[in-house]
């Protein structure tokens, strides 16, 4: 019977050799985030390396660490790190070597959502999985609460929930739905007053996505509709970054307006 394998799991893409060329830069970044914890870890690695060189220990790192703690060779108290405060970021110098800026790495959650949304898009556009459902709507053969809301509304939404976040995906879907619109029943066309843009965005788009969710995820229509209305699951860090960016842009606009106002007042001196 083989022994159970033990170890520490880390993303392979984040691993770098300890003596890599970027060691000094990475160490400085790590010290800013983790303080003395980094030096403490490097000290442990050095102790383990010395033990291997002396051949006093051929055990795995975790086994060696446990024995070293018991024998008092290393400090038992590991510094506390708040991992919620760590962001996947990278500091790079500006052109010209002056200062630095913080570049956020692509968010894995958004990439995962885009991949999931691509499956919805392929189902709708390539496999035409929602086409029969949509044609029944435009021909008036199937009831739709989205259509009822559209027909009864005196004003249409200024902001439409598209669920899809990628603009290219959204563009592909809208162009496909415009082809569906061309097959609309004449009575329906009269009822919607030839309002192609709003009909596509407020009726066909949600119906297509809800239909694909229902088919691919095994949900009934109501559950799929509820998921669509909830929108994509946004991580708190994404929301925080969005709020910070919006706040900065608002301050910049305010400062710009204030600057223009001051210049205008200065150009017209009072008598």
């Amino acid at each position: 019977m083989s022994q159970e394998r033990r170890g520490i799991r880390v993303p392979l893409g984040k691993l770098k050799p300890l003596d890599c060329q970027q060691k000094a830069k990475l160490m400085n970044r790590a010290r800013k985030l983790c303080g003395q914890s980094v030096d403490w870890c490097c000290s442990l690695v050095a102790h383990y390396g010395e033990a291997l060189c002396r051949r006093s220990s051929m055990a795995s790192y975790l086994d060696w660490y446990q024995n070293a703690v018991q024998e008092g060779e290393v400090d038992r108290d590991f510094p506390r790190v708040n991992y919620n405060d760590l962001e996947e970021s990278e500091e790079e110098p500006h052109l010209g070597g002056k200062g630095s800026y913080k570049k956020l790495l692509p968010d894995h959650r958004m990439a995962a959502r885009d991949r999931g949304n691509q499956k919805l898009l392929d189902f709708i556009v390539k496999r035409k999985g929602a086409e029969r459902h949509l044609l029944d709507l435009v021909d008036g053969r199937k009831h739709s609460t989205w259509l009822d809301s559209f027909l009864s509304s005196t004003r249409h939404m200024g902001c439409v929930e598209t669920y899809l976040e990628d603009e290219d995906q959204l563009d592909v879907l809208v162009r496909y739905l415009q082809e569906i619109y061309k097959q609309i029943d004449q009575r329906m066309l009269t009822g919607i007053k030839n309002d192609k843009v709003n009909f596509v965005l407020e009726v066909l788009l949600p119906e297509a996505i809800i239909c694909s969710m229902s088919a691919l995820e095994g949900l009934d229509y109501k559950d799929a509709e509820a998921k669509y209305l909830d929108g994509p699951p946004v991580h708190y860090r994404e929301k925080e970054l969005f709020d910070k960016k919006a706040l900065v842009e608002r301050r910049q606009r305010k400062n710009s307006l204030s600057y223009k106002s001051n210049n205008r007042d200065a150009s017209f001196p009072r008598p």
Side-chain angles (χ1 to χ4, degrees):
M1 182 176 179
S2 61
Q3 293 183 346
E4 181 182 357
R5 300 182 64 181
R6 292 181 294 172
I8 300 174
R9 294 184 178 182
V10 295
L12 185 61
K14 293 183 178 295
L15 292 178
K16 288 184 179 294
L18 188 61
D19 57 348
C20 66
Q21 294 181 352
Q22 303 94 341
K23 179 179 179 179
K25 176 183 176 181
L26 295 174
M27 289 288 290
N28 289 333
R29 285 175 50 197
R31 287 192 183 99
K32 291 179 182 178
L33 293 172
C34 306
Q36 297 300 317
S37 304
V38 178
D39 295 326
W40 194 89
C41 291
C42 290
S43 175
L44 280 181
V45 174
H47 278 300
Y48 180 57
E50 292 173 3
L52 290 178
C53 291
R54 296 194 307 267
R55 294 190 177 275
S56 60
S57 174
M58 298 300 293
S60 68
Y61 173 79
L62 293 180
D63 291 335
W64 168 84
Y65 173 74
Q66 184 177 6
N67 293 331
V69 169
Q70 292 175 353
E71 296 173 5
E73 295 181 9
V74 296
D75 186 6
R76 188 183 186 89
D77 296 325
F78 190 87
R80 295 287 185 264
V81 179
N82 185 3
Y83 291 97
N84 291 329
D85 293 338
L86 305 183
E87 289 186 347
E88 294 179 338
S89 60
E90 183 173 0
E91 290 185 0
E92 294 186 358
H94 278 300
L95 294 177
K98 296 181 179 180
S100 63
Y101 68 92
K102 195 172 187 180
K103 182 183 71 174
L104 294 175
L105 300 179
D107 193 280
H108 299 296
R109 293 178 180 84
M110 180 173 288
R113 291 201 300 270
D114 285 343
R115 289 193 296 271
N117 291 341
Q118 185 62 46
K119 294 180 181 179
L120 298 177
L121 183 64
D122 290 342
F123 178 84
I124 298 170
V125 178
K126 292 184 178 180
R127 296 167 55 185
K128 302 187 185 304
E131 188 162 299
R132 174 48 52 192
H133 174 72
L134 297 175
L135 290 176
D136 287 343
L137 290 178
V138 298
D139 288 342
R141 295 192 298 266
K142 183 175 288 188
H143 176 262
S144 167
T145 55
W146 294 89
L147 177 58
D148 290 345
S149 177
F150 178 83
L151 294 175
S152 61
S153 177
T154 56
R155 53 181 299 183
H156 298 293
M157 293 182 287
C159 180
V160 179
E161 171 58 62
T162 63
Y163 196 86
L164 302 182
E165 299 173 271
D166 184 83
E167 292 184 0
D168 292 334
Q169 292 179 347
L170 185 60
D171 182 62
V172 171
L173 178 57
V174 168
R175 281 192 278 111
Y176 168 77
L177 295 177
Q178 288 173 341
E179 294 300 317
I180 296 292
Y181 178 85
K182 293 179 180 179
Q183 305 180 53
I184 192 170
D185 180 78
Q186 185 60 42
R187 290 180 304 164
M188 181 72 70
L189 197 61
T190 303
I192 66 173
K193 300 177 182 178
N194 292 334
D195 192 351
K196 176 181 177 180
V197 174
N198 284 314
F199 183 79
V200 167
L201 294 178
E202 297 182 26
V203 179
L204 294 183
L205 188 146
E207 286 285 1
I209 295 179
I210 292 170
C211 179
S212 62
M213 284 180 176
S214 177
L216 294 179
E217 301 179 23
L219 303 174
D220 60 33
Y221 183 89
K222 289 297 182 182
D223 290 339
E225 185 178 40
K227 182 176 181 179
Y228 173 85
L229 291 173
D230 287 340
V234 179
H235 191 258
Y236 79 93
R237 188 165 68 88
E238 296 177 79
K239 183 179 183 300
E240 185 180 61
L241 293 174
F242 179 84
D243 291 342
K244 287 181 180 179
K245 182 179 178 181
L247 181 60
V248 169
E249 291 177 349
R250 186 172 67 178
R251 287 175 177 172
Q252 289 176 343
R253 287 196 300 269
K254 183 178 180 181
N255 292 337
S256 177
L257 292 174
S258 177
Y259 176 78
K260 291 179 180 179
S261 177
N262 292 336
N263 285 347
R264 186 169 57 251
D265 293 341
S267 61
F268 295 99
R270 296 179 180 178

